[in-house]
Amino acid sequence: MTESEVAAGKSGGGCGAGCASVVGLLLAVAMAVLAYASTDSTYPDVDPEKRARRLSGYSQDAYGALGIDRTLEGGYVDVFTNNTFGADDCYPDGLFSFADPPVDGAYRLYQEWTLSKVRKADALPGLRGVRDRLKAKGWHVTEYGKNEQIEEWSVEAERDGGYAMKVSWEPEYQRLSGFVSASCAMDPGWPEKKREQEEEDGYSGSYDGPTLNFPPALTPA
């Protein structure tokens, strides 16, 4: 900074640091408002059952690649044995998303499964098989190997369309787990299905996610 620039800064018409702070605050607020206004909280209409079938197909691909000769039925037994669907809320993107209510009628579907009593001698070759299968099926593998911090071996991947997958093995529990998820979508049956439900049982409330049966069994290749 030159001496002339310093002098100009000192003789700024008596505004001083106070005005600079106010201007800075106004600019920050304006930028935040523009960022919030420019975000798109709309999602494509996707039938939850159609999306669930796709997730089940991805899960079966990964499970079959493990090379483990066990069938995992759909349902929940406990934290060591389960195969279920679930859904999370979806929120508008942007600076203030954490303070916003979820988008009504939107859902983020996932499938998770867990298999117990899996030995290291079976788990690690199985994860290599999953990595190779996902690559062959067009997935982009983002992580593979051992996480030293949490003592876990895993393979993680993603693909076009907002799909993500993780298969991991925990030596402490001899537990093999899988998780596959899709990006947010709108339930095309909302709000008509909700109105039907309200008429049947008198319940009134916001969208609480799609209702799905348990996934089909995961079977060996």
Side-chain angles (χ1 to χ4, degrees):
M1 182 176 289
T2 66
E3 290 183 3
S4 61
E5 288 172 331
V6 173
K10 289 183 178 179
S11 58
C15 182
C19 285
S21 298
V22 172
V23 172
L25 178 61
L26 291 174
L27 286 173
V29 171
M31 291 176 65
V33 170
L34 287 174
Y36 181 72
S38 64
T39 58
D40 183 7
S41 59
T42 60
Y43 306 108
D45 287 347
V46 182
D47 179 70
E49 293 186 1
K50 179 179 179 180
R51 177 146 284 180
R53 288 194 295 272
R54 172 163 288 194
L55 293 186
S56 291
Y58 290 153
S59 292
Q60 178 58 53
D61 277 345
Y63 191 85
L66 288 168
I68 295 177
D69 190 21
R70 291 162 62 183
T71 295
L72 181 60
E73 299 292 341
Y76 185 89
V77 178
D78 53 38
V79 295
F80 294 98
T81 307
N82 57 78
N83 174 18
T84 60
F85 285 128
D88 292 326
D89 290 330
C90 295
Y91 295 85
D93 297 326
L95 187 62
F96 298 126
S97 291
F98 65 91
D100 292 332
V103 177
D104 221 10
Y107 67 97
R108 187 193 303 273
L109 192 66
Y110 62 85
Q111 181 181 355
E112 57 185 350
W113 54 266
T114 303
L115 191 65
S116 63
K117 299 178 181 178
V118 180
R119 301 175 304 160
K120 183 177 182 179
D122 296 322
L124 299 193
L127 291 177
R128 286 196 295 271
V130 171
R131 178 198 60 184
D132 295 343
R133 174 69 60 83
L134 293 180
K135 284 184 176 180
K137 291 282 189 174
W139 291 77
H140 171 57
V141 175
T142 56
E143 297 286 343
Y144 172 72
K146 183 181 180 182
N147 185 322
E148 299 289 349
Q149 294 181 338
I150 58 176
E151 284 294 316
E152 174 186 273
W153 278 263
S154 66
V155 54
E156 298 182 39
E158 56 190 26
R159 67 178 297 135
D160 292 343
Y163 295 94
M165 180 183 291
K166 179 179 181 179
V167 181
S168 59
W169 180 71
E170 301 164 271
E172 181 179 359
Y173 303 106
Q174 301 286 287
R175 179 169 58 192
L176 190 64
S177 302
F179 183 90
V180 59
S181 65
S183 56
C184 286
M186 295 297 296
D187 185 344
W190 169 263
E192 286 78 9
K193 290 182 179 179
K194 191 66 175 182
R195 292 198 186 103
E196 293 175 2
Q197 177 185 341
E198 291 173 355
E199 291 176 358
E200 290 178 2
D201 54 25
Y203 172 79
S204 179
S206 60
Y207 182 75
D208 51 8
T211 300
L212 298 166
N213 296 323
F214 289 124
L218 296 172
T219 58

